Amino acid sequence: IPVECFDLVIFGGTGDLARRKILPGLFRRFLAGQMPENARVIGAARSEMEDADYRQMVREAVAEFGGTEKENGSQLDAFLERLHYVAIDATGDGGWDKLAGLMRDGVIRAFYFSVGPSLFGALAERLHQHGIADAASRIVVEKPFGHDLASAQELNATLAAHFDEHQIYRIDHYLGKETVQNLMAVRFGNVLFEPLWNSHYIDHIQITVAETVGVGGRGSYYDKSGAMRDMVQNHLMQLLCLIAMEPPSIYDADTVRDEKLKVIRALQPVEPHQIVRGQYDASSEGPSYREDAENPRSFTESFVAMKCHIANWRWAKVPFYLRTGKRMKARSSEIAVVFKDLGHTIFEGDTARHRNILSIRLQPNEGMDLQVTIKEPGPGGMRLVDVPLDMTFADALGADQEAPDAYERLIMDVIRGNQTLFMRGDEVEAAWAWTDPIIKGWEARNDVPKLYEVGSAGPDDALMLMHRDGRRWREIK
Ligand code: BG6
């Protein structure tokens, strides 16, 4: 179903994110018939170029990052026809009148700030000065949304000086992932899970986001950030919220976000012994973090594992174990809900510990499986065995149901005016308020991250974090 007609301006329109994600994503939505007849995309950046040059750049970006076999020359040509380019000086006057002249009345105006946060204020101010933005316009901003609470508050204040909260779309691309949204569908669309979703039945929850990529090529950003700011404060926090929140009374942007905010606010401070920082070290599978980041003395973490608690009735005494790292043995993201042991068994001689585990695989191979206990086949009496009831979404739904990429979905949500999958300002601030003391503690103690080999499952201390509690991490595979 096509969305309403729009003019989408991408500031940073020649940048990496625009070329890799935003523009190929828009093209895929175009192929899917979702871009209305007269919708337009206007790239804006510092360098001078003509529309024709910009179209050529986008043609190459789509070829490189498009990832779709459906594209064919004529459709790509038709898509490129909708693209325009304006050379703009974000902090001066150049180009703004031309941009104002291009914008049409009566269509949705959306502005994607695909630029560093230091330019947000200048862009917001000029959009108003030149009468380009109005009360119905939308702006889209990317992470990193601040690097601590104070800077996030400052950014929020800068944007709030020009735009209402309902106009601001803060992207966390994890919220655009199909399986992440499925978390809500599974929890709130089935009768099976919600009655068990609490401390009476759940022993603990594990969230793992393991990556095989390193930081090579983006060391200058990453080395100042680290896994805590780059992954935990945003992506893992969002996963935690969706898995732990109370059922919202309706599926509506503010109702959902109110519930997520309550989770973040209920998170207990994390003590130093409940958290492990790691940094990858060279192995036969590749160079060290320090080589990749080109900083031989770096103490930045590329891995974090932690245990946290949510102080409310539902989750009393249920630990949440979070883990994320780069250059690990496999790319695998999973949320595992580990249910409690049976209190009593009627099967004589069966001493094994049987547990139901609901595993939600975010990527790759999106799907869910539920570990259940059944009788081992054969005549050997009542011997029990645990098997997964496996549901891979691609198999169950068929290949033509292939999910749009996170960015595609989120951009279309901006045009639809649906903020459910975007972070609200107070959510971001609450997440920083929880993260800040952890990072400040490391800085104050000059914490040195534990080394782990490239291609491993992280430092041994992370395994100990679980072992101490008589639990084990799920295998990364
Ligand atoms: C980004 C981080 O936000 O998410 C990257 O900055 C990380 O460091 C990426 O690699 C992971 O996203 P995905 O979609 O590949 O899991």
Side-chain angles (χ1 to χ4, degrees), residues 297-363:
R297 271 193 264 281
S298 174
F299 290 122
T300 300
E301 79 284 354
S302 60
F303 173 98
V304 173
M306 67 165 88
K307 173 180 170 181
C308 37
H309 282 279
I310 298 169
N312 63 19
W313 274 49
R314 184 187 285 266
W315 298 117
K317 299 202 171 70
V318 178
F320 286 74
Y321 297 94
L322 316 184
R323 160 176 75 154
T324 183
K326 300 221 178 282
R327 295 301 262 142
M328 296 182 70
K329 61 194 280 198
R331 177 171 188 251
S332 158
S333 301
E334 182 206 60
I335 300 175
V337 180
V338 181
F339 289 90
K340 289 193 165 163
D341 293 345
L342 282 179
H344 170 73
T345 177
I346 61 169
F347 303 110
E348 208 179 316
D350 182 54
T351 50
R353 188 190 221 194
H354 299 291
R355 288 190 147 175
N356 297 124
I357 300 177
L358 176 67
S359 140
I360 301 155
R361 295 187 302 271
L362 306 182
Q363 58 196 25

Side-chain angles (χ1 to χ4, degrees), residues 13 34 39 76 190 209 416 451:
Q34 220 177 16
L76 185 53
N190 292 283
V209 178
R416 286 194 202 94
L451 295 177

Side-chain angles (χ1 to χ4, degrees), residues 33-348:
Q34 220 177 16
M35 255 175 91
E37 196 63 17
N38 297 316
R40 288 190 320 189
V41 178
I42 300 159
R46 204 172 340 178
S47 32
E48 292 290 339
M49 65 168 99
E50 298 299 321
D51 283 355
D53 305 326
Y54 190 61
R55 290 174 182 164
Q56 181 57 28
M57 189 211 83
V58 176
R59 183 186 290 282
E60 287 162 18
V62 167
E64 192 175 351
F65 305 112
T68 168
E69 278 125 43
K70 283 187 228 144
E71 77 221 34
N72 64 47
S74 62
Q75 281 191 300
L76 185 53
D77 287 341
F79 171 72
L80 295 176
E81 284 292 301
R82 288 139 188 264
L83 302 191
H84 299 270
Y85 182 80
V86 182
I88 210 128
D89 180 2
T91 53
D93 292 327
W96 289 96
D97 288 339
K98 179 172 175 199
L99 181 60
L102 269 178
M103 303 303 289
R104 298 169 296 175
D105 288 332
V107 305
I108 290 166
R109 294 181 178 193
F111 304 95
Y112 201 127
F113 290 9
S114 182
V115 294
S118 59
L119 291 179
F120 288 1
L123 291 177
E125 204 177 305
R126 279 164 185 75
L127 283 173
H128 278 89
Q129 255 172 21
H130 294 268
I132 301 172
D134 57 29
S137 302
R138 287 140 211 192
I139 59 162
V140 185
V141 296
E142 275 288 330
K143 65 163 278 222
F145 199 83
H147 58 270
D148 58 8
L149 175 60
S151 53
Q153 283 170 329
E154 212 174 291
L155 278 181
N156 274 335
T158 302
L159 295 178
H162 302 282
F163 295 96
D164 278 348
E165 183 61 34
H166 76 267
Q167 298 179 275
I168 304 172
Y169 292 73
R170 294 178 195 78
I171 289 209
D172 182 315
H173 78 282
Y174 265 59
L175 288 176
K177 288 184 192 277
E178 188 69 15
T179 314
V180 175
Q181 294 170 64
N182 241 320
L183 279 176
M184 283 191 276
V186 166
R187 282 193 61 193
F188 307 129
N190 292 283
V191 76
L192 280 184
F193 302 111
E194 204 46 31
L196 306 181
W197 215 257
N198 57 55
S199 61
H200 299 299
Y201 297 100
I202 292 178
D203 178 75
H204 72 277
I205 291 181
Q206 301 186 17
I207 303 180
T208 297
V209 178
E211 299 184 275
T212 50
V213 292
V215 302
R218 58 200 285 260
S220 58
Y221 149 75
Y222 193 92
D223 208 40
K224 287 192 220 68
S225 161
M228 192 70 188
R229 291 187 172 103
D230 184 56
M231 293 295 287
V232 179
Q233 185 273 345
N234 39 59
H235 307 324
L236 272 82
M237 191 64 53
Q238 291 296 324
L239 298 180
L240 177 74
C241 285
L242 296 179
I243 205 90
M245 71 185 185
E246 295 301 310
S249 55
I250 44 168
Y251 188 67
D252 146 271
D254 273 328
T255 318
V256 168
R257 296 186 299 176
D258 286 345
E259 295 304 338
K260 283 164 55 196
L261 180 63
K262 286 185 208 161
V263 174
I264 306 177
R265 290 199 172 144
L267 269 172
Q268 294 294 283
V270 177
E271 303 292 332
H273 67 275
Q274 295 174 321
I275 187 159
V276 176
R277 296 169 82 218
Q279 189 187 75
Y280 62 82
D281 196 10
S283 79
S284 56
E285 292 186 36
S288 68
Y289 173 85
R290 289 176 171 196
E291 285 166 77
D292 278 354
E294 296 175 6
N295 179 0
R297 271 193 264 281
S298 174
F299 290 122
T300 300
E301 79 284 354
S302 60
F303 173 98
V304 173
M306 67 165 88
K307 173 180 170 181
C308 37
H309 282 279
I310 298 169
N312 63 19
W313 274 49
R314 184 187 285 266
W315 298 117
K317 299 202 171 70
V318 178
F320 286 74
Y321 297 94
L322 316 184
R323 160 176 75 154
T324 183
K326 300 221 178 282
R327 295 301 262 142
M328 296 182 70
K329 61 194 280 198
R331 177 171 188 251
S332 158
S333 301
E334 182 206 60
I335 300 175
V337 180
V338 181
F339 289 90
K340 289 193 165 163
D341 293 345
L342 282 179
H344 170 73
T345 177
I346 61 169
F347 303 110
E348 208 179 316

